[in-house]
Amino acid sequence: MASSTSTSERPPTAVICVGMAGSGKTTFMQRINAHLHSSESQPPYVLNLDPAVRSVPYDSNIDIRDSIRYKEVMKQYNLGPNGAILTSLNLFSTKIDQVMGILEKRCLPQTPPKPLPSHIIVDTPGQIEVFVWSASGNILLSSLASSFPTVLAYIIDTPRTTENTSTFMSNMLYAISILYKTKLPMILVFNKTDVKSEEQAVDWMRDFEKFQEAVREEEEEEREGGGYMGPLLNSMSLVLEEFYNHLSVVGVSSMTGDGIEDFFKAVEDKRTEFEKDYKPELERRRAEAEDQKSQIRDQEVNRMMKDMEVSSKAKGTGKYAKKDEPETVSDMEDAEDDEDDEESGGLVDPDGADEEEEANQAFEEGLKARYEAALRDGSASASAKAASSANYIRGSQR
């Protein structure tokens, strides 16, 4: 298999399996896991992110169920099944620094060199909104993509999708929403080809005239219910034509193993696409985020220095210190004599005022530097805070 060698020093490709409930994601995960174990490549590193599954037919290196108790989340937050799944993933995302630390230790090249996993494969819940709407999906995917080439495998139930054109179009709209939300390369995996071939679905994608013909046939069979659906589906097929051109499509059977080799060839192609097109975009967005953080730090420092300057004026301290008011006539006469001496330049050190000004300026610069350092330290300690919150959450569930 072209995608793996036992002594490869390159980071493994992360394959994120997403799809609707019942599309066969878990069975597909079992099949690709078994395929990688039986091939010449190193075994994959496996993550399970479905907190509600009772059992999985493969061994997981990292399992969300080890740290998040799904039923306890339902009880504590008074949630239904779907809300508890989303909340569980949100809680798990607070531990992403720990998860990435483990992955980078196990899956990135080390000194001395050691065999690396061929792939990182990730199973996800059937709730598509986890990766479309929730913050946890964005955090998990962006964290993986920052360290590893990442590919989305969108699993589709082929028999159900080809039942009618509206179901097919709904699946395509789900796929496009995930693609443009995550901005990661995607493979459409038409699963269950042992039940029905993927040829009809692929024809509908590649040739919009065949799709429009199928729409007309359905309209002739079902004359009821208004006439807006046909034109809508036809227009959507034309709109999505460009979208289809950016996708790799494979048909597989998780039961028999047919098409798995083609799937991993597509993964290798998408890895190349990630390195060429997606990685530079991720680095650009990361650089913009760092610039924004730097600007915010500078604004905070300038605001703090202005506040201190106003405070000094109000209190009459520092370089804004007021001279002591004379309490007696003799004190007033002494003060007048001192002013005369300053004007005549007789007994006053001419460098005294400059030295005081330099001392004040040095103090302000030192204070500014310490404040900037404190802001940087606060940003660097974000992972420690996340770990602390994760410990609190874990403790509250016991």
Side-chain angles (χ1 to χ4, degrees):
M1 190 170 61
S3 63
S4 57
T5 56
S6 59
T7 58
S8 176
E9 289 299 321
R10 67 178 190 173
T13 304
V15 180
I16 317 295
C17 298
V18 298
M20 296 188 198
S23 61
K25 292 187 307 301
T26 302
T27 309
F28 178 75
M29 280 281 296
Q30 179 191 21
R31 174 58 63 180
I32 62 177
N33 184 38
H35 179 83
L36 292 173
H37 273 87
S38 62
S39 65
E40 297 179 357
S41 64
Q42 289 292 322
Y45 206 84
V46 183
L47 281 75
N48 173 45
L49 297 182
D50 190 348
V53 66
R54 289 190 175 183
S55 62
V56 290
Y58 52 82
D59 293 329
S60 301
N61 299 97
I62 297 177
D63 196 326
I64 188 175
R65 297 174 300 168
D66 294 337
S67 55
I68 304 295
R69 300 178 184 177
Y70 168 72
K71 290 186 178 180
E72 289 297 321
V73 171
M74 291 182 67
K75 292 178 182 177
Q76 290 185 16
Y77 296 95
N78 194 26
L79 297 171
N82 290 338
I85 289 174
L86 282 172
T87 304
S88 297
L89 280 160
N90 289 336
L91 293 173
F92 186 75
S93 67
T94 65
K95 308 177 183 183
I96 191 62
D97 289 335
Q98 301 174 39
V99 174
M100 291 307 301
I102 295 171
L103 285 174
E104 291 171 357
K105 183 178 180 181
R106 298 286 188 271
C107 303
L108 289 181
Q110 305 286 334
T111 304
K114 62 178 181 179
L116 301 177
S118 58
H119 296 78
I120 299 171
I121 55 178
V122 184
D123 195 8
T124 62
Q127 282 70 14
I128 298 293
E129 56 271 19
V130 168
F131 290 101
V132 178
W133 303 115
S134 73
S136 58
N138 183 45
I139 292 171
L140 293 167
L141 290 177
S142 60
S143 298
L144 274 173
S146 66
S147 298
F148 304 96
T150 304
V151 176
L152 290 171
Y154 185 74
I155 317 299
I156 298 174
D157 185 338
T158 306
R160 187 180 301 173
T161 298
T162 53
E163 285 178 357
N164 53 62
T165 53
S166 58
T167 304
F168 170 81
M169 186 57 65
S170 297
N171 250 308
M172 295 301 104
L173 292 175
Y174 268 120
I176 192 172
S177 65
I178 295 175
L179 176 68
Y180 287 113
K181 180 68 167 62
T182 62
K183 297 181 175 62
L184 292 171
M186 176 182 285
I187 303 171
L188 288 187
V189 181
F190 284 97
N191 196 14
K192 306 181 183 180
T193 56
D194 55 308
V195 178
K196 185 172 183 179
S197 172
E198 79 283 3
E199 292 180 0
Q200 181 181 352
V202 174
D203 287 342
W204 285 353
M205 290 179 61
R206 303 305 186 202
D207 189 344
F208 69 88
E209 291 182 356
K210 290 186 177 180
F211 181 79
Q212 292 177 346
E213 181 181 350
V215 172
R216 285 195 299 271
E217 291 177 356
E218 289 180 1
E219 286 182 329
E220 291 174 359
E221 292 176 0
E222 303 176 3
R223 290 290 182 182
E224 314 153 353
Y228 75 92
M229 183 58 74
L232 175 62
L233 292 173
N234 287 332
S235 62
M236 290 301 299
S237 67
L238 293 173
V239 169
L240 296 183
E241 185 177 11
E242 183 65 22
F243 161 69
Y244 296 146
N245 293 332
H246 290 82
L247 294 176
S248 296
V249 181
V250 295
V252 303
S253 171
S254 298
M255 294 298 295
T256 65
D258 291 340
I260 296 299
E261 288 283 353
D262 294 335
F263 170 74
F264 280 106
K265 289 178 183 177
V267 168
E268 195 64 22
D269 292 340
K270 288 300 177 181
R271 178 193 175 103
T272 303
E273 182 180 331
F274 176 90
E275 298 284 357
K276 180 181 177 182
D277 299 329
Y278 288 82
K279 189 175 181 180
E281 175 66 15
L282 290 173
E283 292 175 348
R284 184 188 65 80
R285 295 207 305 262
R286 190 182 302 118
E288 288 180 353
E290 289 297 326
D291 291 342
Q292 187 175 5
K293 288 181 182 178
S294 178
Q295 292 175 5
I296 292 173
R297 280 199 302 266
D298 292 342
Q299 291 173 2
E300 290 292 331
V301 171
N302 292 333
R303 187 180 299 113
M304 184 273 298
M305 298 305 295
K306 288 179 180 178
D307 291 344
M308 289 189 61
E309 185 175 339
V310 171
S311 177
S312 296
K313 288 181 178 179
K315 294 180 179 179
T317 59
K319 62 181 179 179
Y320 301 104
K322 298 179 180 179
K323 295 182 180 179
D324 294 335
E325 293 294 334
E327 297 180 357
T328 63
V329 175
S330 59
D331 291 338
M332 185 181 299
E333 292 175 351
D334 293 339
E336 291 175 354
D337 293 339
D338 291 339
E339 289 177 1
D340 293 339
D341 290 338
E342 289 178 4
E343 292 176 359
S344 63
L347 299 175
V348 178
D349 182 3
D351 297 329
D354 293 338
E355 291 177 356
E356 183 179 358
E357 183 67 24
E358 290 176 0
N360 289 332
Q361 184 177 359
F363 172 76
E364 291 181 1
E365 291 177 354
L367 185 61
K368 183 177 180 180
R370 289 194 296 272
Y371 191 72
E372 289 176 340
L375 286 175
R376 287 193 297 271
D377 292 342
S379 300
S381 64
S383 60
K385 292 179 180 178
S388 176
S389 63
N391 291 333
Y392 173 77
I393 293 168
R394 184 166 57 251
S396 66
Q397 294 176 349
R398 292 175 181 171

